[in-house]
Amino acid sequence: MNGDTDSDTDTAAESDTDTDTALQALNGIELRHLRGFVAVAEERSFTHAADRLRIGQPALTRTVRALESLVGTRLLDRTTRRVELTDAGRRLYADLAPLLPRLAAALRSSTGPAILRLGFTSLLPAACTTLTADFEAATGAGVRLVRRDSPLAGLETGESDIVVLRGEVPRDAGLRTTTLLHEPRVAAVPRMPAPAGSRTGGRTPGHAGRDGLTDAQAAALRAVARRRVLDWAELAGLPLVVNTVTGSTGPELWPAGRQPQRACTAGNFDEWLEAVAAGHGVGVAPEPVARRHTHPGIRYLRLKNAPAVPVHLALPARDAHPLAERFFVLGARTGPTAGDGDGPAPPGGAP
């Protein structure tokens, strides 16, 4: 029996030694190092990650290099065109991605009043004003609004506890959703379409590609620029500007064989707006979003027979924040409603 006890003691001592060694390896590593690395890993860009963290790019670069020095291995492969994770970087990111949100929740719960972080992308629906007021009255907690130009509005990075998403939510996103309302779509057309042959195509957000507008496309854009109303089916014959990150309209919404050509892509709403204004093609957006964002180079046209945009509340399917659960239940009770489409015409609609 003494032999068994000695063995157990030795095992416990070895475990303590391993734990001490692991903790010693953390010396010098701070939360800012981990958040910086995770942001770059998800954005695949130091520029976009720095914008998300609201710090300068040189400071973020120093932060990530410091982390690599502290862990003793390269985590990112950098080129002049893109950033990729190394094998070590992928392993570290896989561990940190779920860990950081839980750490943030633990720290928030132990300090100060309860706060729910409500994420969104280009515009928070007006219906959320009443929902937020009801939530605060029912729980005594506050709500912090978090805008993020990412597909899940900061939920995937732990910056939001619950989010408002427009369009269809991927089934493999690991989320629970409920539909809040539906919003009508409008078309955004350039007041001065780009001439035929101009460089408009491309897959890199904010960049033009090699292919230009054909004579027919340029003529079609000039024709619709003078219209007041378009039919959804008519857009199939026009070059389409697509927000591939936070947008809700892509060619896949049209029937196969009658889909519009993707002329240009954008990584956020502002890029999308400028691409349409530059004459690269037409765009489609929810009417409340269009009403909020005017542009001197764009007219918004009513769309007939266009499918409405579903607006969802979404939270993690597992380990959601308790306050997020409460907000979700209140949202589910609200139920789907019509959007703001019965209000005044979108800005820029008149010639």
Side-chain angles (χ1 to χ4, degrees):
M1 182 174 294
N2 287 342
D4 292 340
T5 301
D6 291 343
S7 176
D8 292 341
T9 302
D10 291 343
T11 300
E14 291 174 0
S15 178
D16 290 343
T17 300
D18 291 342
T19 300
D20 291 342
T21 300
L23 290 175
Q24 289 173 5
L26 293 176
N27 285 343
I29 296 180
E30 303 174 11
L31 187 57
R32 63 185 179 90
H33 294 128
L34 305 181
R35 291 183 67 241
F37 165 71
V38 167
V40 176
E42 290 171 343
E43 298 289 345
R44 292 295 198 273
S45 163
F46 277 88
T47 300
H48 293 162
D51 288 342
R52 189 173 104 185
L53 297 173
R54 298 178 183 177
I55 63 175
Q57 182 177 335
L60 178 59
T61 299
R62 291 193 297 271
T63 296
V64 174
R65 285 177 177 169
L67 177 62
E68 290 178 321
S69 177
L70 289 166
V71 299
T73 188
R74 180 176 290 277
L75 302 172
L76 300 169
D77 282 331
R78 308 163 179 83
T79 69
T80 57
R81 301 180 65 88
R82 61 183 180 179
V83 177
E84 296 292 343
L85 290 168
T86 64
D87 289 342
R90 280 189 287 272
R91 290 193 298 270
L92 181 60
Y93 173 73
D95 289 335
L96 288 178
L99 179 61
L100 288 183
R102 294 175 66 88
L103 176 60
L107 293 175
R108 288 203 317 275
S109 65
S110 63
T111 59
I115 296 291
L116 175 71
R117 299 170 301 169
L118 175 60
F120 65 103
T121 54
S122 55
L123 179 70
L124 195 65
C128 286
T129 301
T130 301
L131 182 57
T132 296
D134 292 343
F135 168 80
E136 291 178 334
T139 64
V143 175
R144 179 182 303 152
L145 301 181
V146 179
R147 177 180 172 176
R148 292 292 180 269
D149 288 323
S150 63
L152 300 183
L155 196 62
E156 71 276 30
T157 61
E159 297 171 283
S160 303
D161 301 309
I162 190 169
V163 295
V164 177
L165 301 176
R166 287 181 170 87
E168 297 303 323
V169 179
R171 294 185 177 182
D172 59 354
L175 304 178
R176 280 188 292 138
T177 65
T178 186
T179 303
L180 284 178
L181 67 153
H182 293 86
E183 297 173 334
R185 284 180 162 95
V186 296
V189 300
R191 291 186 181 273
M192 297 183 63
S198 60
R199 292 162 61 90
T200 60
R203 297 181 179 273
T204 303
H207 292 271
R210 296 179 179 177
D211 298 330
L213 294 177
T214 65
D215 290 338
Q217 289 175 328
L221 280 178
R222 287 193 295 271
V224 300
R226 298 188 293 270
R227 298 273 295 276
R228 291 178 178 272
V229 181
L230 287 177
D231 190 276
W232 177 255
E234 291 182 85
L235 295 179
L238 298 170
L240 187 67
V241 178
V242 180
N243 178 350
T244 58
V245 178
T246 60
S248 55
T249 303
E252 67 279 358
L253 292 182
W254 282 263
R258 290 183 291 168
Q259 297 177 339
Q261 175 188 346
R262 182 180 299 190
C264 182
T265 61
N268 55 54
F269 185 83
D270 293 330
E271 287 182 358
W272 174 88
L273 202 67
E274 295 299 335
V276 174
H280 295 340
V282 300
V284 178
E287 186 179 18
V289 177
R291 191 181 303 149
R292 178 70 64 87
H293 297 86
T294 61
H295 192 291
I298 288 178
R299 294 181 66 233
Y300 291 106
L301 310 181
R302 289 193 296 114
L303 271 178
K304 295 190 304 181
N305 302 314
V309 181
V311 181
H312 307 281
L313 265 184
L315 78 172
R318 300 176 57 187
D319 299 326
H321 193 286
L323 289 177
E325 294 279 7
R326 294 286 299 276
F327 197 92
F328 186 84
V329 170
L330 286 175
R333 290 175 182 169
T334 302
T337 61
D340 297 328
D342 296 330

